[in-house]
Amino acid sequence: MKLQSLRALLAAVETGSLRNAARKLGVSQPALTKAIRELELELGAPLLLRSNTGVATTAQGRVLVERAKTVERELAAAVDQIRQLSGEMVGSLHVAAVPLALMLLVPEALRTFSASYPGIRLRIDEELYMAQLTRLRAGEVDVCVGPVPVGLPAGELVIEPLMPIQMVVVAGKYSQHAKATSLAELADARWVFTGTSADAGYAKHLFAENGLPVPKASAVVNSTLGLVALISGGDFVGLMPRQIAVHPTAAAYMRLVPVQEGPLLAEMAAMTRPESALVPAVRHFIAHLSRAAHHFGGLEVMG
């Protein structure tokens, strides 16, 4: 199976047509069509459905496309790593981080890292709830910066502790729930869960940790703006890091709810796959994150 044929398939799927794919790769359309046809003959299965409006993948094609994306991503990473090990600090680094890390640690780490390694292209994505670590496990990101998930298998990831986190209960500034003194009083409140589904979220862990039934999720969000908007304007209750909750921008619209159970404690860390931890750019970026955490007081910040 030729790499060039796989790239032809990927280009056809990404552009939606054989003509556009050929233009993207700088080859003739007959040459690109031949490359994809060779793949189909080799596998004994159709990979693309062709029509007047373009191309779409068959079920077999979708399987190969997903695997081909991984192959291309891994090859690009290998090239970057080889060049970095040779002393040439070039390539790209993809980081996913929770809002608190984006607010406190990432800007300082980016400032010092980019000054030291201007040849590394950085991409930063916000992740509100990353307990599944799906993109890290799939190799779609190089580093995740956020709370260490509960029950993470030992040795699966390389973890660099950065700072502790306090996830506090918050409600709208004039909400009836703002004066609650226990989680039990909030059992029937309209809770906002952060995550990918109603089965995920920090609130679930807080209630379970205190031996209480998990409340029903009235809304599920995966963005900081959505969380703040619902809590401040919709009489919802939720959890967010203390530093964000007391920040003037958020504090103008919400209050910390003084529940006797206290906050949910977690640990902010930089997480990466073992093979990625060997990449010089990844190692250096995590070192800059650690220095940023120290700059902001590290373990004392949340004390």
Side-chain angles (χ1 to χ4, degrees), residues 267-286:
E267 183 176 52
M268 178 87 75
M271 295 165 279
T272 188
R273 293 174 297 153
E275 59 270 30
S276 298
L278 302 175
V279 178
V282 172
R283 293 203 315 269
H284 292 314
F285 183 75
I286 291 176

Side-chain angles (χ1 to χ4, degrees), residues 92-300:
S92 61
L93 188 64
H94 195 168
V95 179
V98 296
L100 180 60
L102 289 175
M103 184 174 80
L104 290 183
L105 305 182
V106 173
E108 174 64 13
L110 288 182
R111 183 184 70 80
T112 58
F113 179 84
S114 296
S116 299
Y117 307 107
I120 301 294
R121 182 179 66 258
L122 289 156
R123 174 176 173 178
I124 310 296
D125 291 345
E126 178 185 341
E127 294 285 347
L128 189 58
Y129 183 78
M130 57 173 59
Q132 292 83 9
L133 294 173
T134 305
R135 299 175 70 200
L136 180 62
R137 287 177 168 129
E140 295 174 3
V141 298
D142 301 302
V143 181
C144 277
V145 188
V148 179
V150 176
L152 188 68
E156 180 188 4
L157 301 175
V158 176
I159 298 173
E160 175 68 28
L162 298 173
M163 59 188 290
I165 309 171
Q166 292 182 355
M167 299 295 293
V168 296
V169 181
V170 291
K173 193 169 186 178
Y174 304 107
S175 169
Q176 60 179 327
H177 302 301
K179 296 181 179 179
T181 58
S182 70
L183 290 176
E185 294 178 48
L186 298 172
D188 296 325
R190 301 174 67 199
W191 278 86
V192 182
F193 279 24
T194 52
T196 55
S197 71
D199 295 325
Y202 299 114
K204 176 181 179 180
H205 296 301
L206 178 62
F207 274 78
E209 192 176 87
N210 287 281
L212 297 170
V214 179
K216 178 182 178 182
S218 295
V220 179
V221 299
N222 197 27
S223 77
T224 309
L225 180 60
L227 179 61
V228 172
L230 286 176
I231 291 174
S232 62
D235 199 32
F236 286 89
V237 177
L239 287 179
M240 65 174 56
R242 180 183 292 275
Q243 284 104 324
I244 294 180
V246 300
H247 189 277
T249 303
Y253 302 101
M254 63 182 66
R255 292 177 56 184
L256 274 65
V257 182
V259 295
Q260 63 188 15
E261 291 85 356
L264 175 69
L265 303 180
E267 183 176 52
M268 178 87 75
M271 295 165 279
T272 188
R273 293 174 297 153
E275 59 270 30
S276 298
L278 302 175
V279 178
V282 172
R283 293 203 315 269
H284 292 314
F285 183 75
I286 291 176
H288 281 261
L289 279 172
S290 296
R291 283 197 283 272
H294 178 75
H295 176 78
F296 283 101
L299 298 177
E300 289 76 29

Side-chain angles (χ1 to χ4, degrees), residues 46-99:
L47 301 176
L48 293 178
L49 297 172
R50 300 159 175 83
S51 69
N52 292 332
T53 58
V55 296
T57 52
T58 62
Q60 298 93 325
R62 283 191 290 275
V63 171
L64 185 58
V65 164
E66 289 307 310
R67 301 285 181 163
K69 286 180 180 177
T70 301
V71 168
E72 191 168 50
R73 187 164 56 240
E74 291 295 329
L75 283 174
V79 171
D80 287 349
Q81 185 172 355
I82 290 169
R83 296 175 71 180
Q84 291 167 21
L85 288 171
S86 300
E88 190 179 2
M89 290 300 292
V90 295
S92 61
L93 188 64
H94 195 168
V95 179
V98 296

